[in-house]
Amino acid sequence: MIIWLALALVILGSLLLTWALRHYALNRSLVDIPNARSSHSVPTPRGGGVAIVLAFILALPALVLAEVLPWPQFCALAGAGLWVAAIGFLDDHGHIAARWRLLGHFAAAIWALFWLGGVPPIVVFGVQIELAWAGIFLAAVYLVWLLNLYNFMDGIDGIAGVETITVCLGGAFLYWYLDFVEYAAVPLLLAAAVAGFLFWNFPPARIFMGDAGSGFLGVSLGLLSLQAAWVKPQLLWSWLILLGVFIVDATWTLIRRMLRGEKVYEAHRSHAYQFASRRYGRHLPVTLAVAALNLFWLFPLSVLVGAGAVDGVAGLIIAYLPLLALAVRFKAGQNE
């Protein structure tokens, strides 16, 4: 009962906090002004992602008290999430050099991995592999990449919110389906926190998320995927499949830009979703397409992998190939 009450309060809290942050941003002139690198055409307040951070983090102790969330996992989620959000918040209000942001991101990843107890074994084509210290290094890089790619992919109205909600609902369903119901509470709570914000961010957006919110979501989803692997090793592959739209678009774009010698940390509009939004002249069709891909393509494959009907690596390849084809079709990583 306490979990359902927490979910309702988180949605309401996020909704009201986003409203308050919108008025704060307007009063302080914290507004994104459209420029040549923007995907929007109307000045819009930013920083609404702070509502997601506060609504989610403040509700986590209820799950600890309900003995649904172990204390070490709370420390991992809250500590890393708040640190990444603080870096994003400061960057939203000024500027932090890329090298210092990256250092802070790795510090958050190491903190989280310490509290999670390192990384679980992975299963590759039926063989369980212990990664030891190499796994910790790879997991840290994974977390830092995921939180940064979330920043890159949060470029049109509603896309990051829709991605997070569908991924979290998919992950929660997997826990229910595989009879690990108690683990579904945290992803459901994160989905609830995003839902309140999405009311204000759905196309046409009345407030943007900002780096504080997008980085927080990226690292939180990364940690939830690693936690899932501790529950059942193949669930790591299921979560990677659920995150496929963002991972494929951002990674393929990064590779293309690196091969051309571009500065990958500079703002640009060469992701597949950005090309698609310009082609269709609106953000809504692209955001809805992401939801459709997650629900009707990636989610069923993630369930098959989680249930053991399809090998994790094979399922990941099957899931990603059409996404890669879409990225190529929409010219991801090409010059604008």
Side-chain angles (χ1 to χ4, degrees):
M1 182 64 183
I2 189 172
I3 294 174
W4 294 111
L5 178 60
L7 290 175
L9 290 175
V10 165
I11 293 175
L12 180 61
S14 177
L15 184 74
L16 295 176
L17 280 169
T18 307
W19 172 82
L21 285 165
R22 182 173 182 271
H23 282 271
Y24 169 82
L26 289 171
N27 290 334
R28 296 297 183 93
S29 297
L30 299 174
V31 176
D32 269 348
I33 306 298
N35 56 47
R37 298 291 185 179
S38 302
S39 294
H40 62 288
S41 57
V42 177
T44 306
R46 65 178 184 269
V50 173
I52 298 172
V53 178
L54 293 176
F56 179 68
I57 295 296
L58 291 175
L60 284 181
L63 300 187
V64 176
L65 292 174
E67 299 183 348
V68 172
L69 179 66
W71 177 252
Q73 292 175 14
F74 168 81
C75 292
L77 283 166
L82 285 172
W83 181 249
V84 169
I87 293 172
F89 181 83
L90 293 174
D91 199 44
D92 282 338
H93 287 70
H95 177 70
I96 301 176
R99 62 182 179 277
W100 296 116
R101 290 202 308 271
L102 195 63
L103 182 63
H105 293 162
F106 270 105
I110 292 168
W111 165 273
L113 290 169
F114 169 79
W115 284 103
L116 286 181
V119 294
I122 63 169
V123 176
V124 179
F125 294 118
V127 179
Q128 185 166 297
I129 302 174
E130 297 280 353
L131 296 175
W133 285 102
I136 294 175
F137 171 76
L138 291 173
V141 172
Y142 165 66
L143 290 173
V144 171
W145 173 228
L146 198 60
L147 75 88
N148 278 283
L149 76 81
Y150 239 82
N151 285 335
F152 302 153
M153 295 295 291
D154 179 34
I156 63 172
D157 300 350
I159 191 171
V162 164
E163 171 78 358
T164 304
I165 290 173
T166 51
V167 168
C168 285
L169 292 180
F173 177 87
L174 281 165
Y175 284 135
W176 171 82
Y177 182 70
L178 298 173
D179 203 23
F180 298 110
V181 180
E182 65 274 17
Y183 293 99
V186 177
L188 286 176
L189 205 67
L190 185 57
V194 175
F197 165 80
L198 187 60
F199 174 83
W200 299 97
N201 183 244
F202 199 75
R206 288 163 284 178
I207 189 170
F208 292 155
M209 186 178 293
D211 287 355
S214 57
F216 172 82
L217 289 180
V219 75
S220 296
L221 289 169
L223 291 173
L224 289 179
S225 68
L226 293 176
Q227 178 191 359
W230 278 111
V231 177
K232 194 173 184 180
Q234 62 259 44
L235 284 179
L236 174 63
W237 301 109
S238 294
W239 276 80
L240 289 174
I241 289 170
L242 289 170
L243 289 162
V245 171
F246 272 29
I247 289 175
V248 171
D249 190 348
T251 304
W252 181 250
T253 300
L254 176 72
I255 291 170
R256 293 291 304 276
R257 297 186 71 226
M258 286 179 65
L259 290 175
R260 288 202 305 274
E262 296 182 9
K263 295 178 180 179
V264 295
Y265 53 83
E266 288 185 346
H268 63 94
R269 296 196 305 167
S270 60
H271 287 285
Y273 77 89
Q274 291 169 320
F275 278 112
S277 68
R278 292 197 294 275
R279 176 181 295 185
Y280 297 114
R282 293 191 301 156
H283 294 184
L284 182 60
V286 182
T287 298
L288 293 179
V290 169
L293 283 169
N294 287 347
L295 293 173
F296 301 116
W297 175 243
L298 298 178
F299 170 65
L301 282 171
S302 73
V303 174
L304 290 173
V305 168
V310 176
D311 177 79
V313 176
L316 189 76
I317 294 170
I318 293 168
Y320 280 17
L321 280 177
L323 301 179
L324 181 58
L326 282 172
V328 172
R329 178 187 174 190
F330 283 99
K331 305 178 181 180
Q334 292 188 21
N335 287 319
E336 301 171 45

